[in-house]
Amino acid sequence: MSDRPGPEATARLTRWEQRTEVPLFLAGLLFLTGYAVRVLAPHDAQPWHDISLTLVWSTWLLFLVDYVTRLRLSGLGYRFPRVHWLDTVVLLLPLLRPLRMVQVYQAVQRRRDRPRLNLYARVMTYAGMTVGLLGFAAALAVYNLEHRTPDASIRTFGDAVWWACATLTTVGYGDATPVTFWGRVVAAGLMACGLALLGAVTGSFSSWLIQVFAREDEKRPPERG
């Protein structure tokens, strides 16, 4: 049986994704805010811990509803988790939601017609924002995992932000590095995910430049022999 849904299922799924793109992006920001409060607020900071926990779980339920809805609209049934494996991973680890931008970029690249220039600008803007959000989420996760470890070099959230910036830009100064197992897992994921998102930004920018130059050539009057 083919893994490709029919045209009607594809159209329904596309309409749903277009309608929920902005609300889910805002829900992702709320989830990250709740997680940040959980990590950075003092342990006795009530009722902020309870509010942040409610925020995290309520937004995750929105992600679950979206996942189940797209599963039903896709027409793929039990094959949906395998075909849309990235969506499944993002549901289990909501801090990775910025990675869905890679799918948007791939969809733009697969279009047979030439996408509008503002679509490339949209992809670049969205991907640039999600690179920052991914780095912030990784900094929160690494700080939460590392700062209580006796031999850790990441003691403050500022250290974690510095580490995330150095990792995303592939500079890697080495002055702040994770020492725990899960901290290094987050670091490896940030390296791979950061390269994918930065590739989406640079790829879209290159395609945008090519279209700009092509349109300028089309507007240019033909040279006389």
Side-chain angles (χ1 to χ4, degrees), residues 23-225:
L24 287 177
F25 180 74
L26 295 177
L29 292 179
L30 289 176
F31 180 92
L32 188 58
T33 301
Y35 180 72
V37 173
R38 291 286 298 175
V39 172
L40 299 178
H43 293 290
D44 57 349
Q46 293 294 351
W48 296 110
H49 275 280
D50 294 337
I51 293 174
S52 64
L53 186 62
T54 302
L55 194 61
V56 165
W57 280 109
S58 59
T59 50
W60 185 84
L61 286 176
L62 288 178
F63 303 149
L64 179 62
V65 170
D66 170 67
Y67 183 87
V68 173
T69 302
R70 289 191 295 115
L71 186 152
R72 297 184 62 183
L73 293 177
S74 68
L76 293 172
Y78 66 90
R79 301 187 306 278
F80 183 86
R82 177 166 57 88
V83 176
H84 297 271
W85 62 270
L86 181 57
D87 294 324
T88 306
V89 172
V90 167
L91 176 66
L92 298 176
L93 298 172
L95 288 178
L96 297 179
R97 285 197 69 82
L99 289 183
R100 295 193 73 243
M101 172 46 51
V102 178
Q103 291 181 327
V104 177
Y105 170 69
Q106 291 174 344
V108 171
Q109 292 296 90
R110 286 196 300 266
R111 289 185 56 163
R112 294 182 180 179
D113 58 333
R114 292 195 305 177
R116 299 186 303 272
L117 293 180
N118 61 355
L119 181 57
Y120 281 120
R122 181 183 177 188
V123 171
M124 285 186 289
T125 302
Y126 196 6
M129 291 173 60
T130 50
V131 166
L133 291 174
L134 183 66
F136 181 66
L140 285 171
V142 165
Y143 170 72
N144 189 34
L145 293 166
E146 295 282 320
H147 74 282
R148 294 188 184 93
T149 305
D151 55 344
S153 58
I154 300 176
R155 294 287 186 179
T156 66
F157 182 62
D159 294 337
V161 171
W162 171 253
W163 162 83
C165 292
T167 303
L168 275 172
T169 56
T170 67
V171 175
Y173 287 108
D175 55 342
T177 56
V179 296
T180 64
F181 171 78
W182 288 112
R184 290 175 176 175
V185 169
V186 173
L190 182 63
M191 294 174 196
C193 298
L195 287 175
L197 283 169
L198 289 174
V201 175
T202 56
S204 295
F205 183 68
S206 300
S207 299
W208 177 77
L209 282 179
I210 291 172
Q211 282 208 32
V212 169
F213 293 147
R215 294 191 179 189
E216 289 296 326
D217 290 339
E218 291 173 359
K219 294 178 182 178
R220 185 179 305 170
E223 297 181 359
R224 296 181 178 180

